[in-house]
């Protein structure tokens, strides 16, 4: 099985971290290929960047197809609370997995109420919206932020882990969560720290998505094309794929 | 007062129709400027095209600002059920009005239950999602499609009006609607036909948004910057604005 | 355009304050006429008084019609959380605007989550009910009370403004509001104080209703008569209008 | 135990029918006293009439108290979907029972999904609102109208019963109801006809309210005065009680 | 009237306490018979014990029927938040009353927002689920635990009453409750203490259920057999009734 | 990996069919062991039988543990809409998967709106309740019944498949489903028939649960013991395990 994991931002370091997390969750025999957009933002902290990232992953997928290099059984979209899953589901016949939704699904399976801990408070509404639209908000106890941005996480990894653990502790004590979903990628050791210090399971979205992708592909199922995920009409587009029009390099080497 | 009306698709004909509808709803003293993206799709019938359009309107707004031509008191985003309002609200200090939300607000003010009539059935979920996220779905009786795409509407305008009236009639009879919101732009005479034949008010989203823009600007209010619409952090972006990178022409002459 | 603004209580001082607020929000060319019931309560702090006020505004409207003095394009009902909008909508062909609903509509247009700050805690449930029935509660972060009654507000206006600002500050900090709706009339300078001290937009219901009335009338729309707001059957009533039976003076001179 | 049953309209015939229904549901030892407002409408088919009736029952209760004739253990408000319960609950220390709410409570106790069958379609929204505000709508399968007004019911009682049975049959077959609540008073034999012909329990609101009044009084409980039903402040009112100002006769002989 | 009250646990002391509470709420002429399962758990503090108790009450009811001793007009299931009401409703033609649901119904009739105070925090979710499934959660302000288990309540009755009063006080102050439902049986004097110290009505589930049983039976109503409570098909069962297979003694002497 | 699959009824034929379906969904290296209760009902078509089955699976699990034969990494509870998952989750440290919940989770991952097709209409409410409590009902378009009971399915397998396909076709056409969940076990070829004839994915609950069990175990996660699934207190039970008291044979050979 080959799974295409899409980091929606353009940070090579983040792409590498996501690839590592995905590979760690993969079964023997599952190959992980991780790609990021050929244009866009290095980090996604706004609706504007989230839309840009959605177009970026659409573009890179189309480039891979155009290059004749499409050979994947499933796609994981590795932006927690970002747009784009529905667009990819329209475009592709293989199933597409959003890491926020997958973390929430796994949380339902092992607990009664989950909280999400993300980085900055400004990301909370986007995650709430994603869960609401996915019909996965009824058992969401809260979405909390640890208050640290990407740069701060990079500068002080140990302090960042502690900040996430602190936010998770409040979610458990004040909001009644019994499972924590990590709404931020690239923080090694966070799930282990939460489980060890707080005694609750912690779910990493990338790992959850890889596991659910393997499960759904293993069942022989894929996106329903009988409803909203049917391919759209062939409306004329200009400058598409954008990366080709921009003269950006080929995505798959 | 100057209102920037953004047609999210790239069809010049549609831009002209939207401009006309917006101007018709403007008070004396309100100037309407209508623009469309410099890249993207001629029609928006999928999530992929909707994301592309959101980036397109973000881009054209940034180009107008870069060109030193920004001089607007409000923005209307004229895609019914499309993405982008939140991104523009982050980027700008003037208020931004989504035509689907504005049609729903006006419908609340003049009736108890409204239905939306759109073009193709595949657009229904996007409109339902928009109303759900905006907190405006509790009084929505239904979202119905007339079943005609853009080409068919252009080829047989009278037939298209009849198809919309038929769908509206079913919304009234079967779903209990007492107001109809038009979820499709560019169809002259539709609201008049619904009111005349069915005896219920019909709300055009572009007109509603212009009217509400005038009302909010008149109140001296604008987007709250205390929450999710605060400007995002200055994350590095590549190829932005995309239209500049693509060598596309300037948007405002 | 002529807008009839109805103060639902019988306080002449409050009627004057509401008239002033309404006039301040009116465009050039909009004439504001402010009236209050010919019987009823000087302040509305209970369900009993709210029903009495609803009958009072129905009565004064009927008296104006009977006197042959009806010449209005819209009606604003200036009780925050009081009954009566639906009854007036049945009786009249011009649109009717409730100030609590209008404040909530404007809040939706400029923010993501609004809180209402009212006077006494006992008014909170009535406002919650109004928003729930209007389908406008999903984005309501909270309804809070500043704890001061009418008399206290009159005795210490500056202290009252501070109490409202304090309640608004809690709504922002604890409930996540990014817009504040004023659920109490007649307090000059409150919206300005909230914006200045707390950095969030503040919406006055009377101003919002006048602005939305102008918008809806400008769109050529009015109350749907196809549903619940159709005129009721001509059931016999005794002593109606009550003010005539009571020998009360004519409302419009 | 003495129960005051309030018919909110002024029809003496309807008052007599309600009294009879109430008495039939009373235990030995329970005395039913039935009163109606001293002013108002003969039938309640609009929001305006509903507000008028609420003030009418407030007035008659105050007159009974003023006359020194108050000697009741509970009050039943016998308007299905009408306003006023909350105002009476504020005014009185004895518990107050709304017949629509009580019918819904009993329906919950004996089935899983109930439908209400009322007279005219225009009454449906008011009943839906009442159930929503009372928190009793989650198990409401539908509110349906039989399409007959009061005059028609009086002119053809047998036909009216059949119309109600027909509407109930549709509620069972199409909406999945397993209990029917009668949303219209004064129709002898309707509950028996529904049970006999359709095989489901039928709940009459007046009977349900009398039974629940007896139950609650028997438990020694009454309206909580710790929240919204605390007595309101002593705001000055003009012309109150209205019936005294109107010179209307004393309510209790 | 004869009411069968079923204590779902096997504690004889608790059965006696429940019988006493039920008898205290019974009218003259109502006979209370209290039974408990012939196998199961002495206290119910888990889902496992709750299912076991549901089967236990099914079994004891079948034994009573088999013994030819069935002669009841209604059944009260006296487990607060436990399973089993629906199974008994299927099996029997007389109505069945769950004490948690009945407490909530009575709370609706006398207040606007109720809280439940139960023993251990681990019982909260089961009570929340019961109210959600019964459609009675919209006006539930909170479910709180006093933190004491059965043994502690027995060891220090006065301290237990104080713990419940303290939890109720928090429900009133922090959650806005104006009625308290007791989610724990067998604590004499608790409702009186809450009313005396906190000034709000307190509802005991056993008493509420007996009162509502009398009301519904008095109305001549019983469980609808037109829906989910129709008797199930005659599927073969092994070892049923379990108590017979176990050689347990006869339930009714 | 070893997964214990529990058929909640006592039918050996059904146990064999479920075992086969589970094995078909298992990866190489996953061992399926299928067991059924040692007492209970041959088919589960009522709340009473569902509770009995919950106790039956609790009992068989305890017997396996007592016998020293527990050696499983996960448990699948193979009753669609039946009780018991929460009790097993309390009792065990390995994760427990309910087939109705798992079918719904998979349906969310591959479509927007799913319908469940079950056997008899009387099973619909139990499935609706399960989805509601699990927080998985927002995207459920409908639960429909094919109208055939177990005996009829056995007597005419081809006709049964057609009945399910017909109900699924109505769910797609009338309710807008784009994924079908099979709410009935033991019907070979049904998912293939739905996909082939209707063009939508069909999800079998047993297969879904096995796949998700493998995914969750693969992630190293298990039931949270920080909330409601913590083990219950050690309350005394009589006759437990019931099967031992009944002298029933050992479950695992």
């Amino acid at each position: 099985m080959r799974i295409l994991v899409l980091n929606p931002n353009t940070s090579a370091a983040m792409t590498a971290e996501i690839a590592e997390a995905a590979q760690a969750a993969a079964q023997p025999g599952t190959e992980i290929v991780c790609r990021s957009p050929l244009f866009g933002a290095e980090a996604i902290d706004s609706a504007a960047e989230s839309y840009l990232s959605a177009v970026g992953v659409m573009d890179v997928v189309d480039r891979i197809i155009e290059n004749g290099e499409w050979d994947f059984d499933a796609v994981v979209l590795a932006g927690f609370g970002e747009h784009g899953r529905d667009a990819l589901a329209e475009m592709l016949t293989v199933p597409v997995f959003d890491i926020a939704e997958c973390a929430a699904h796994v949380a339902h399976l092992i607990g009664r109420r989950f909280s999400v801990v993300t980085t900055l408070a400004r990301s909370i509404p986007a995650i709430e919206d994603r869960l609401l639209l996915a019909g996965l908000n009824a058992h969401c106890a809260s979405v909390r932020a640890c208050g640290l941005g990407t740069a701060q996480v990079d500068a002080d990894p140990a302090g960042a882990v502690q900040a996430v653990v602190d936010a998770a502790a409040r979610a458990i004590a004040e909001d009644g969560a019994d499972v924590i979903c990590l709404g931020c990628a690239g923080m090694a050791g966070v799930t282990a720290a939460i489980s060890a210090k707080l005694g609750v399971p912690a779910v990493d979205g990338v790992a959850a998505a890889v596991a659910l992708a393997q499960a759904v592909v293993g069942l022989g199922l894929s996106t329903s094309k009988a409803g909203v995920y049917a391919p759209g009409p062939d409306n004329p587009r200009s400058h598409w794929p954008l990366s080709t029009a921009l003269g950006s390099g080929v995505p798959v080497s």
Side-chain angles (χ1 to χ4, degrees), chain A:
Chain A
M1 190 182 312
R2 279 168 57 87
I3 300 177
L4 175 64
V5 178
L6 294 167
N7 171 22
N9 65 46
T10 61
S11 158
M14 187 70 87
T15 305
E17 285 167 353
I18 289 170
E20 190 174 0
Q23 196 63 57
Q27 300 168 328
T30 296
E31 186 181 350
I32 301 293
V33 175
C34 199
R35 289 288 174 270
S36 64
L38 297 166
F39 56 88
E42 281 192 18
I44 304 175
D45 294 309
S46 65
E49 289 162 351
S50 185
Y51 292 131
L52 190 52
S53 80
V55 171
V57 296
M58 287 158 47
D59 177 273
V60 75
V61 162
D62 257 0
R63 289 297 296 281
I64 295 173
I65 294 171
E66 283 198 354
N67 286 356
E69 293 171 322
W70 184 266
D71 181 25
F72 298 103
D73 299 290
V75 173
V76 167
L77 180 55
F80 206 100
E82 308 315 340
H83 291 287
R85 208 266 284 188
D86 45 358
L88 298 177
E90 287 171 356
M91 293 167 62
L92 298 168
T93 55
V94 303
V96 182
F97 299 85
D98 175 272
I99 62 169
E101 295 180 23
C102 288
H105 282 297
V106 169
H108 279 75
L109 292 167
I110 59 173
R112 181 181 164 95
R113 286 167 65 83
F114 66 96
S115 286
V116 176
V117 178
T118 185
T119 50
L120 298 174
R122 63 175 294 124
S123 300
I124 293 173
I127 294 171
E128 292 174 338
D129 283 359
R130 183 89 357 238
L131 295 175
L132 173 61
L133 287 182
L136 296 171
N137 61 315
H139 284 215
C140 180
S142 60
V143 182
R144 284 179 173 265
C146 69
L148 301 182
T150 306
Q152 292 166 293
V153 171
D154 287 349
D156 180 10
V161 169
Q162 188 58 45
V164 172
V165 171
D166 289 348
R170 288 195 299 274
I172 296 165
E174 297 172 26
D175 310 328
D178 59 1
V179 179
I180 299 296
C181 294
L182 271 299
C184 42
M187 294 172 76
V190 174
T191 58
I194 289 173
S195 297
K197 296 187 184 178
L198 304 177
V200 304
V203 183
D204 174 69
V206 173
V210 169
L212 294 183
Q214 291 174 152
V216 169
V217 172
L219 288 166
L221 292 170
S222 188
T223 304
S224 175
K225 293 293 172 176
V228 69
Y229 301 125
D234 208 19
N235 293 324
R237 290 186 196 175
S238 75
H239 305 86
W240 189 258
L242 281 164
S243 62
T244 304
L246 291 164
S248 301
V250 291
V252 178
S253 56

